């Protein structure tokens, strides 16, 4: 089920950048209003253009940078599009239907008190349109039940050996097969499920120790270490400085 993890609209700070050296496990969605912006993934660099909507890969590392003299201004969402996947960058010239949905989303995001439930409905409508147009890929049928099991049970003390045996695979074969189909290991995918929920909870006031337990860690220290390893900063620092950003 699609999950809205964050949203915003406006000009980003001059020091803004995205550096996902590990796959983020969610998709950034930007409708760019203005700015000079560069995207790089797998050694290939390309500019991102105003008046285009971009859906960024969910399971590929990438970086995005802008020119501080022409900073990016955009409407943005962070979406967990489970169970569909975004294997590569998608660029869309919005048609009339998409423009209507984006206008409604922009008005709500810029309102004094945005309604997250309403924005979730709009994001769901957007994702369904993208799926119909072939921009989103369904998971490999052989992996679909495994992905759903991991997405539903990530708060439990799962380990990859138990997951592989649960689905009748030898652990070594399961890891190789999963990585061949998804581009990441099952452990990385499981961590992604946990961190997606953690990022969502960090936007609120839930104590970090409680977040750790909610996303499958036995204590705050182990959660903080995992978060630090993935994002390069502590959960408390993320909450203080980066949660509202694109």
């Amino acid at each position: 089920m699609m999950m809205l993890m964050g949203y915003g609209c406006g000009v980003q700070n001059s020091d803004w950048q995205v550096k996902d050296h590990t796959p983020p496990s969610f998709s950034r969605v930007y409708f760019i209003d203005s700015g000079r912006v560069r995207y790089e993934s797998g050694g290939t660099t390309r500019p991102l253009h105003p008046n285009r909507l971009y859906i960024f890969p969910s399971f590929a590392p990438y970086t995005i940078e802008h020119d501080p003299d022409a900073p990016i201004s955009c409407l943005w969402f962070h979406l967990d599009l489970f169970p569909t996947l975004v294997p590569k960058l998608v660029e869309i010239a919005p048609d009339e239907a998409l423009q209507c949905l984006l206008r409604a989303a922009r008005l709500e995001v810029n309102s004094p008190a945005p309604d997250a439930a309403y924005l979730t409905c709009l994001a769901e409508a957007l994702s369904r349109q993208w799926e119909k147009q072939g921009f989103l890929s369904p998971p490999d049928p052989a992996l679909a039940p495994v992905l759903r099991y991991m997405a539903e049970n990530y708060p439990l003390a799962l380990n990859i050996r138990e997951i592989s045996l649960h689905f009748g695979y030898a652990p070594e074969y399961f890891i190789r097969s999963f990585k061949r189909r998804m581009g990441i290991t099952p452990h990385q995918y499981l961590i992604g499920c946990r961190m997606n929920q953690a990022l969502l909870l960090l936007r609120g006031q839930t104590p970090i120790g409680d977040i750790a337990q909610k996303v499958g860690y036995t204590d705050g220290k182990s959660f903080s270490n995992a978060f630090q390893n993935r994002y390069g900063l502590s959960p408390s620092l993320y909450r203080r400085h980066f949660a509202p950003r694109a």
Side-chain angles (χ1 to χ4, degrees), residues 20 24 26 192 195-196 199 226-233 238:
D20 279 330
F26 65 88
M195 291 301 160
N196 281 356
L199 293 174
F227 194 95
Q228 178 90 29
N229 288 337
R230 189 173 183 88
Y231 298 113
L233 72 170
Y238 176 88

Side-chain angles (χ1 to χ4, degrees), residues 117-235:
Y118 176 56
L119 287 169
T120 297
C121 290
L122 290 174
E124 182 71 35
L126 287 168
S127 67
R128 289 184 180 180
Q129 185 183 40
W130 300 332
E131 193 169 358
K132 278 175 50 179
Q133 295 171 328
F135 296 129
L136 306 181
S137 301
D140 187 308
L143 275 186
V146 180
L147 299 180
R148 183 167 299 279
Y149 179 82
M150 295 171 76
E152 291 175 351
N153 294 284
Y154 66 85
L156 305 178
L158 296 175
N159 66 61
I160 302 308
R161 176 179 175 80
E162 290 171 345
I163 295 170
S164 60
L165 295 177
H166 178 81
F167 286 94
Y169 296 108
E172 296 78 8
Y173 172 82
F174 173 66
I175 292 169
R176 290 197 305 270
S177 177
F178 192 102
K179 186 171 184 179
R180 185 174 67 252
R181 291 178 166 91
M182 294 289 293
I184 59 174
T185 67
H187 178 72
Q188 289 172 320
Y189 183 84
L190 181 61
I191 296 300
C193 292
R194 290 173 171 164
M195 291 301 160
N196 281 356
Q197 184 65 21
L199 293 174
L200 181 64
L201 292 171
L202 284 167
R203 297 184 66 85
Q205 300 303 314
T206 305
I208 289 174
D210 291 348
I211 292 176
Q213 293 187 358
K214 287 177 181 291
V215 301
Y217 292 90
T218 55
D219 56 74
K221 183 177 180 180
S222 58
F223 166 64
S224 293
N225 287 341
F227 194 95
Q228 178 90 29
N229 288 337
R230 189 173 183 88
Y231 298 113
L233 72 170
S234 68

Side-chain angles (χ1 to χ4, degrees), residues 32-164:
I32 298 180
D33 297 310
S34 60
R36 288 195 291 271
V37 190
R38 184 174 68 252
Y39 169 85
E40 190 277 327
S41 181
T44 300
T45 302
R46 58 178 286 184
L48 305 182
H49 303 289
N51 301 313
R52 292 291 185 272
L53 183 134
Y54 293 92
I55 311 172
F56 294 87
S58 47
F59 292 103
Y62 59 85
T63 63
I64 316 170
E65 297 179 329
H66 70 167
D67 182 344
D69 294 327
I72 182 174
S73 177
C74 63
L75 170 68
W76 62 268
F77 297 96
H78 293 172
L79 303 179
D80 182 349
L81 294 168
F82 180 86
T84 56
L85 310 174
V86 184
K88 60 183 180 180
L89 179 68
V90 175
E91 179 179 341
I92 304 173
D95 58 15
E96 185 175 352
L98 181 54
Q99 288 174 358
C100 288
L101 288 170
L102 291 172
R103 280 196 296 270
R106 187 186 298 273
L107 286 171
E108 189 62 30
V109 169
N110 287 329
S111 68
D115 185 335
Y118 176 56
L119 287 169
T120 297
C121 290
L122 290 174
E124 182 71 35
L126 287 168
S127 67
R128 289 184 180 180
Q129 185 183 40
W130 300 332
E131 193 169 358
K132 278 175 50 179
Q133 295 171 328
F135 296 129
L136 306 181
S137 301
D140 187 308
L143 275 186
V146 180
L147 299 180
R148 183 167 299 279
Y149 179 82
M150 295 171 76
E152 291 175 351
N153 294 284
Y154 66 85
L156 305 178
L158 296 175
N159 66 61
I160 302 308
R161 176 179 175 80
E162 290 171 345
I163 295 170
S164 60

